Amino acid sequence: MRQDHLITATQLSRDDIEAVLDRARAVADDPAAYADRHAGRVLALCFFEPSTRTRMSFDSAAKRLGMNTIDMGDVDSSSVSKGESLSDTVRVIEGYADALVLRHPSEGAATLAGERVDVPVVNAGDGAGQHPSQTLLDLHTIREDHGLDDLTIGVMGDLKYGRTVHSLAAALTEFDANQHFISPESLRLPRSVRFDLHETGAQIREHDDLESVLDELDVLYVTRIQKERFPDENEYHRVAGEYQIDAETLADAPDDLTVMHPLPRVDEIAPDVDETDHARYFEQAHNGIPVRMALLDTLLENANPDGDEGTEVGR
């Protein structure tokens, strides 16, 4: 895998993460300093699955850097509907753009794309695999509130299929973080993810309920329990109902608890939480702009249009 791509959070060292987040902070403090920084360059948005926040924030981030964007549009109106392979699609689009953002339903799709093209590729979600740019904006949000060391975080909801969870858990192993995973038995972390976390020496614990750990947390990261994964709708409603929070749930939580969610939410966070001091999920979504600006700036800077090697991102 070329290191000017961002495919998985596991490729990022602590130094890599902090460099991007430091740049994101600089972008947020003085966005005008980054305007037109990459004028004349083009970002291709290749989304084989629906997206609102990721697609629009990459589009906005690119334009705020002076870039143009092109969008392959809906899969049904593209050549994919005619049977074109992913490999051919990205090789064609490579000729139109200076960088490529890819979302695809198949785990490993971004890795394949990165092997086929010479422009930077950002994985914007590959099935139940990874979503590393989401992780960077999550870490930015956490760092602004708490820092990333001596951190206790609870991650609640669909841990089995949640790619944002898999990326965040991996990235947090680069820091001094205690990770608590709260989910029904059927939606616990995949064995492969648990194995990788244990291999790094990560401090992780698994729980069936939030109450047992809430008072220890600095951050509660909530995810949607995905109805489409359940063959029995009644079972979904039974399980989902146990993993919902409202303002009353948080009444005895630490005063500085940060509640996050990658969005979209359904009913796992009640609207009355929005009015508490704990809610950060809309701010978290807005952080996609400076973080993705910083990420694109870093990748394009390292790609170096003059042909020099530049500095590697990731190890």
Side-chain angles (χ1 to χ4, degrees):
M1 181 176 65
R2 290 169 54 100
Q3 298 304 331
D4 52 359
H5 304 316
L6 179 58
I7 305 299
T8 171
T10 60
Q11 79 188 70
L12 296 170
S13 68
R14 181 185 179 117
D15 287 346
D16 294 324
I17 293 167
E18 291 183 333
V20 173
L21 300 191
D22 286 346
R23 190 172 302 204
R25 183 178 287 164
V27 170
D29 288 344
D30 187 9
Y34 290 80
D36 299 323
R37 191 173 174 92
H38 295 284
R41 291 189 175 183
V42 176
L43 178 68
L45 302 173
C46 303
F47 282 73
F48 290 73
E49 283 187 324
S51 172
T52 301
R53 282 151 296 279
T54 302
R55 189 177 204 153
M56 293 185 72
S57 64
F58 265 115
D59 192 10
S60 181
K63 288 172 178 172
R64 290 166 191 251
L65 290 169
M67 302 177 70
N68 296 308
T69 61
I70 56 175
D71 193 325
M72 66 174 275
D74 294 335
V75 171
D76 290 344
S77 61
S78 74
S79 292
V80 175
S81 65
K82 302 175 183 178
E84 183 174 65
S85 68
L86 174 62
S87 178
D88 284 359
T89 297
V90 296
R91 291 180 68 184
V92 168
I93 294 174
E94 174 189 20
Y96 307 149
D98 298 285
L100 192 154
V101 177
L102 175 68
R103 171 169 291 187
H104 199 279
S106 298
E107 191 169 341
T111 299
L112 183 149
E115 292 170 348
R116 296 293 188 270
V117 304
D118 291 322
V119 298
V121 173
V122 178
N123 179 8
D126 60 335
Q130 290 261 330
H131 194 350
S133 72
Q134 175 70 42
T135 290
L136 288 170
L137 71 90
D138 293 343
L139 294 175
H140 177 76
T141 306
I142 294 169
R143 188 170 79 155
E144 294 302 297
D145 272 5
H146 299 283
L148 293 172
D149 285 311
D150 193 23
L151 178 76
T152 301
I153 180 171
V155 185
M156 184 175 80
D158 181 355
L159 312 183
K160 183 175 183 179
Y161 300 106
R163 58 195 173 202
T164 62
V165 172
H166 304 162
S167 289
L168 180 60
L172 283 172
T173 64
E174 295 291 328
F175 301 89
D176 177 20
N178 296 305
Q179 302 190 57
H180 296 266
F181 296 99
I182 306 140
S183 72
E185 179 76 29
S186 59
L187 292 176
R188 287 192 172 176
L189 286 172
R191 182 178 301 176
S192 60
V193 174
R194 288 202 308 272
F195 176 83
D196 289 343
L197 292 174
H198 283 302
E199 284 291 287
T200 67
Q203 303 174 61
I204 69 170
R205 292 171 58 194
E206 294 182 295
H207 308 268
D208 295 324
D209 65 274
L210 174 62
E211 184 178 352
S212 63
V213 71
L214 179 61
D215 62 353
E216 301 177 33
L217 301 181
D218 300 305
V219 176
L220 174 61
Y221 191 98
V222 183
T223 67
R224 178 176 67 93
I225 292 184
Q226 301 174 60
K227 183 177 181 180
E228 61 271 22
R229 305 294 185 185
F230 285 78
D232 183 341
E233 188 169 330
N234 290 329
E235 176 64 13
Y236 160 76
H237 286 296
R238 186 190 69 77
V239 171
E242 296 178 7
Y243 295 88
Q244 297 171 347
I245 65 168
D246 56 21
E248 184 177 355
T249 309
L250 302 177
D252 296 324
D255 291 342
D256 62 349
L257 174 72
T258 294
V259 176
M260 299 172 62
H261 193 304
L263 302 178
R265 65 174 165 179
V266 182
D267 55 8
E268 58 275 9
I269 297 181
D272 63 2
V273 177
D274 301 355
E275 307 307 316
T276 72
D277 292 336
H278 301 298
R280 289 291 185 280
Y281 27 88
F282 294 115
E283 178 182 338
Q284 179 186 353
H286 298 160
N287 284 338
I289 298 295
V291 171
R292 286 174 170 134
M293 285 178 69
L295 174 61
L296 290 172
D297 185 44
T298 301
L299 292 172
L300 290 167
E301 181 179 83
N302 291 353
N304 200 326
D306 297 325
D308 296 331
E309 289 185 356
T311 305
E312 288 189 346
V313 175
R315 53 177 180 254

